């Protein structure tokens, strides 16, 4: 059973460009979470999605950031007009939902560098 | 109230010793407490987790102790090995599947 997959693993963007981060959950998992890890800091929740629904976006910055989890395909975290402060590791996690709500399994992350 | 406080920030243990990492929380609505292990450049890996109706859970060399009245929980790594050297994060969540709130992390180094 393949784990959570994220791509790209490394992404370099110049200030003002857009970054798109993709996450494919584990097989059978219908819940996706995005977290951000700044250098030398812990993990901070950003957004929680189920298929076609945003459940909790309380950790998302109000501007420039958006997330989706369409009926088909991976979840996408989109950052518009990136700034240097967006440089971080972005992790996606998935959980099975019913019967195993709490268990979140993380992907390898996408390391975003803004130059 | 949403915070989870973790200590120590860093820990050095000799091979074969016991590593102990502590976490404290305020929100009594939390109902799930996992520990994650993270190696440099990798994603966090779920290590072990506990719910508040249990005071202790053991899996191999890893044990969680949970004190509901004190709102504290800890991770014990018995017979620590150099391969255990990593950053460990405690976390908490509530509302069946809600977001994880992480502690600040503990960088563990096990010396041979």
């Amino acid at each position: 059973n393949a784990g959570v997959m994220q791509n790209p693993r490394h992404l370099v963007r110049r200030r003002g460009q857009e970054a798109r981060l993709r996450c494919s959950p584990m097989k059978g998992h219908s819940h996706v979470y995005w977290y951000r890890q700044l250098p030398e800091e812990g993990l901070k929740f950003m957004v929680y999605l189920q298929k076609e629904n945003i459940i909790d976006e309380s950790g998302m910055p109000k501007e420039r950031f958006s997330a989706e989890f369409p009926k088909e395909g991976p979840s996408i975290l989109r950052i518009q007009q990136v700034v240097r402060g967006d440089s971080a590791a972005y992790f996606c996690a998935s959980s099975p939902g019913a019967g195993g709500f709490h268990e979140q399994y993380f992907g390898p992350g996408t390391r975003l560098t803004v130059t | 109230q949403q915070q989870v406080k973790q200590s120590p920030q860093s820990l050095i243990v000799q091979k074969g010793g016991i590593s102990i990492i502590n976490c404290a929380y305020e929100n009594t609505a939390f109902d799930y407490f996992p520990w994650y292990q993270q190696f440099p450049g990798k994603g966090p890996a779920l290590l072990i987790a506990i719910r508040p109706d249990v005071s202790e859970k053991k899996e191999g060399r890893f044990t969680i102790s949970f004190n509901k009245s004190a709102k504290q929980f800890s991770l014990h790594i018995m017979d620590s090995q150099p391969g255990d050297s990593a950053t460990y994060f405690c976390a908490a969540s509530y509302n069946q599947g809600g977001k994880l709130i992480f502690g600040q992390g503990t960088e563990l180094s096990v010396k041979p």
Side-chain angles (χ1 to χ4, degrees), chain B residues 92-106:
Chain B
S93 72
Y94 61 98
N95 283 347
Q96 277 216 329
K99 61 189 176 189
L100 287 171
I101 296 165
F102 283 88
Q104 298 90 329
T106 296

Side-chain angles (χ1 to χ4, degrees), chain A residues 45-92:
Chain A
F45 167 79
M46 299 181 74
V47 62
Y48 166 27
L49 311 104
Q50 294 179 28
K51 287 282 188 181
E52 300 183 283
N53 284 305
I54 297 175
I55 306 303
D56 180 357
E57 57 181 348
S58 59
M60 286 280 269
K62 299 297 181 191
E63 298 177 349
R64 303 186 298 109
F65 286 73
S66 62
E68 62 176 5
F69 189 16
K71 187 176 181 181
E72 301 290 338
S75 175
I76 306 287
L77 178 68
R78 182 183 178 202
I79 311 173
Q80 295 178 289
Q81 299 177 323
V82 296
V83 301
R84 287 226 172 103
D86 296 333
S87 295
Y90 292 82
F91 292 98
C92 166

